[in-house]
Amino acid sequence: MKAAFYTLGCKVNQYETEAMTELFRKSGYEIVDFDDYSDVYVINSCTVTGRSDMKTRQAIRKARKLNIDSIIAVVGCYAQIAPEEVLEIPEVNLVIGSKGKGQIVELIDRLKKLKINKLNAVHDILKDKNYEELEISTQIEHTRAYLKIQDGCNQFCTYCIIPYARGTVRSRKLNNIIDEVKRLSHMGYKEVVLTGIHVASYGQDLGDVGLLDVIKRVHEVKGIERIRMSSIEPTFLTEDFIKEVSQLRKFCRHYHVSLQSGCDQTLKRMGRRYTTENYREIIERIRKNIVDVAITTDVIVGFPGETNQEFEETYIFLKDIAFSKIHVFKFSKRRGTKAYNYPNQISNAVKTSRSKRVIELSEQCEIDFYKRFIGRKMDVLFEQNVKGMDGFIEGYTDNYIRVAVPGDIRFKNCIIPTTLKEIKKDMVIGEIVEGK
Ligand code: SF4
């Protein structure tokens, strides 16, 4: 039997696809490409924007064309938010939401055994209080492993569908996290990225443990050389937390601190729990304690009621903070969230032009950040050949500078001191320090 996977959305989804892949493999399935003929197609969906839902539907149609007799399972956030809508799609046989991915193989067996065409296995996620344990021992990316440490979010920002799709905070047991890190280290991974829906909330439901404990315990695992954090809410970054992690050699000097808007009125309407002034202080705190730190962020443009004046405030704030990269998202209204019914929705044309300006600013910010390191010697963890640049291999510094050097795949998964020479588009061309 063959199984194929298609993943949309965030790193948590990617992690969960890996875990499901391992379950299928252990049950004797051969894993094939999503473009190939398969007996089972699993689509791990996302619902963060309307576009994500559309991509899921496209993947469903594609799977059916590849094998009209296959079983098509749609799992994840879109299935969780709209199980009936997804199951009504004629091609779909099984829906599983955010919980129950660990039972996917059994559910498919049940479908086959009972010879039924449709099965809804979606649970009420807001009632769920326990973390669903899923495990991985390997990942598609071969040098950096994404490690899921928690699920859910209790913040209920007014634009965000995630708490309804993922439920409230459930944290993974610390011992299970460490066992997985040891397995990953044993497989040769040198870098782990602590991933979750709201990593800062880690431990809230467990009581006696927090994110700092996770970081410290992962830091002790032999073979792991780098620990990165996927994204963090600004309010969590206390002086104590920053000081403690700045002492940990393996903790990467890279913070992705979600901003979402640089205008206080917009932040308030978004239901974010900080002001621009708080945010600025937090960034200063990080920069004071961590030399050469890279600070990246997310921003949403075109939130309902965002006037030109409000957008300009955001733009100026972004420029002022001097991020090393800005990820921009156009507001997408999601049914079930408060902002869905907010007045003064912004036209797509305005969102597009604001987004374009932020993308241009981000490109400039990245260049300005890279410039500071030209001529410096930095450790680079090499990952893969550079697409479209024969004879070059690329990797990242701990503060997330993308570096390419002449070399081949033998450098892969090695951390090598490299001199940063010149900026080329979105990367820096470097030279391996002689004798290394
Ligand atoms: S913090 Fe806000 S934006 Fe982030 S997942 Fe939670 S509700 Fe969504």
Side-chain angles (χ1 to χ4, degrees):
M1 295 290 279
K2 293 176 178 175
F5 296 83
Y6 187 79
T7 311
L8 287 135
C10 63
K11 297 295 180 197
V12 175
N13 261 18
Q14 284 177 28
Y15 176 94
E16 291 168 347
T17 298
E18 289 296 340
M20 288 189 283
T21 306
E22 290 193 16
L23 290 173
F24 275 92
R25 211 177 266 126
K26 277 184 197 148
S27 305
Y29 279 81
E30 181 193 344
I31 309 301
V32 296
D33 206 85
F34 198 78
D35 292 327
D36 293 341
Y37 178 95
S38 182
D39 301 289
V40 176
Y41 290 94
V42 179
I43 296 147
N44 196 358
S45 65
C46 168
T47 192
V48 83
T49 62
R51 216 176 125 74
S52 326
D53 294 353
M54 190 192 74
K55 283 189 181 167
T56 301
R57 291 192 292 269
Q58 282 171 347
I60 293 167
R61 283 195 293 274
K62 177 176 169 178
R64 182 52 78 227
K65 275 189 199 142
L66 287 163
N67 176 7
I68 52 163
D69 296 321
S70 61
I71 291 178
I72 298 181
V74 181
V75 305
C77 295
Y78 180 27
Q80 180 69 47
I81 290 294
E84 285 86 19
E85 180 182 311
V86 178
L87 200 58
E88 268 170 24
I89 301 173
E91 290 90 347
V92 176
N93 304 110
L94 170 65
V95 284
I96 304 174
S98 296
K99 187 191 164 95
K101 292 175 181 173
Q103 278 83 55
I104 186 162
V105 179
E106 289 83 357
L107 287 165
I108 284 173
D109 286 348
R110 202 154 102 204
L111 262 178
K112 286 196 276 190
K113 216 161 134 195
L114 301 176
K115 294 196 170 58
I116 45 179
N117 188 37
K118 298 262 178 197
L119 181 62
N120 182 348
V122 175
H123 300 266
D124 180 353
I125 199 71
L126 286 168
K127 283 198 184 135
D128 190 27
K129 296 287 169 251
N130 296 316
Y131 181 87
E132 183 185 17
E133 192 59 46
L134 288 167
E135 289 180 355
I136 56 157
S137 52
T138 185
Q139 289 195 0
I140 298 169
E141 287 194 49
H142 294 299
T143 54
R144 185 182 306 144
Y146 291 89
L147 178 72
K148 185 179 165 193
I149 64 166
Q150 69 80 236
D151 209 331
C153 175
N154 295 350
Q155 306 286 310
F156 291 89
C157 300
T158 61
Y159 54 85
C160 186
I161 192 75
I162 297 301
Y164 308 95
R166 285 277 175 181
T168 51
V169 171
R170 283 107 61 219
S171 308
R172 190 174 184 186
K173 289 201 178 78
L174 186 49
N175 283 345
N176 293 347
I177 296 176
I178 299 307
D179 286 347
E180 187 155 291
V181 178
K182 286 181 181 161
R183 275 199 304 277
L184 291 165
S185 162
H186 189 70
M187 292 296 293
Y189 289 94
K190 290 202 167 83
E191 181 174 319
V192 287
V193 186
L194 306 182
T195 307
I197 299 300
H198 195 255
V199 285
S201 303
Y202 179 86
Q204 259 179 24
D205 53 325
L206 300 177
D208 54 349
V209 62
L211 181 60
L212 194 55
D213 301 292
V214 178
I215 295 170
K216 283 181 176 169
R217 287 281 305 279
V218 175
H219 199 266
E220 287 166 10
V221 177
K222 253 175 88 186
I224 297 298
E225 291 298 325
R226 285 181 174 183
I227 307 165
R228 227 178 258 286
M229 220 159 36
S230 54
S231 166
I232 194 144
E233 291 294 297
T235 44
F236 180 77
L237 294 167
T238 61
E239 184 100 37
D240 285 351
F241 177 87
I242 295 166
K243 276 195 173 141
E244 290 233 34
V245 291
S246 68
Q247 302 303 314
L248 301 173
R249 176 185 66 82
K250 298 177 182 177
F251 196 80
C252 291
R253 297 170 302 167
H254 173 209
Y255 282 75
H256 185 83
V257 191
S258 317
L259 171 66
Q260 310 305 11
S261 171
C263 158
D264 288 325
Q265 289 83 350
T266 314
L267 283 175
K268 211 165 168 193
R269 290 199 303 281
M270 287 177 162
R272 304 289 287 172
R273 300 168 185 205
Y274 51 86
T275 63
T276 49
E277 212 32 57
N278 304 145
Y279 189 94
R280 191 188 296 278
E281 280 164 20
I282 290 158
I283 301 304
E284 280 166 10
R285 196 178 286 160
I286 302 173
R287 286 185 169 146
K288 191 177 84 194
N289 284 284
I290 306 168
V291 64
D292 291 338
V293 64
I295 299 186
T296 52
T297 200
D298 295 324
V299 67
I300 297 173
V301 294
F303 187 76
E306 186 188 60
T307 59
N308 284 339
Q309 166 68 26
E310 289 188 356
F311 172 70
E312 288 309 320
E313 275 182 44
T314 291
Y315 188 85
I316 291 165
F317 188 79
L318 292 170
K319 220 168 160 180
D320 240 38
I321 295 285
F323 291 99
S324 52
K325 196 169 193 147
I326 305 160
H327 299 267
V328 58
F329 300 90
K330 290 191 258 180
F331 171 75
S332 171
K333 65 181 207 168
R334 310 304 293 137
R335 196 184 297 277
T337 61
K338 278 191 182 161
Y340 184 83
N341 292 316
Y342 278 6
N344 305 319
Q345 299 278 336
I346 307 297
S347 74
N348 202 36
V350 171
K351 285 182 200 164
T352 304
S353 91
R354 289 178 185 170
S355 156
K356 201 166 155 254
R357 278 187 66 201
V358 177
I359 291 169
E360 281 163 12
L361 176 63
S362 174
E363 285 165 0
Q364 190 52 50
C365 288
E366 190 170 66
I367 291 171
D368 292 343
F369 183 69
Y370 284 0
K371 269 185 192 159
R372 289 174 38 198
F373 298 92
I374 298 301
R376 302 247 310 256
K377 193 176 86 180
M378 314 277 290
D379 283 342
V380 178
L381 172 56
F382 287 99
E383 296 182 7
Q384 58 184 350
N385 291 327
V386 186
K387 282 194 190 105
M389 270 174 77
D390 277 355
F392 277 80
I393 184 160
E394 66 173 83
Y396 285 87
T397 62
D398 76 314
N399 60 352
Y400 221 58
I401 301 174
R402 185 176 168 215
V403 180
V405 297
D408 58 41
I409 212 68
R410 278 171 298 171
F411 291 175
K412 185 175 164 173
N413 209 22
C414 299
I415 298 178
I416 309 176
T418 305
T419 306
L420 274 50
K421 293 281 194 186
E422 58 167 318
I423 299 167
K424 191 172 175 190
K425 281 193 187 153
D426 58 345
M427 66 168 97
V428 176
I429 305 297
E431 196 177 271
I432 300 285
V433 173
E434 248 171 78
K436 299 289 169 184

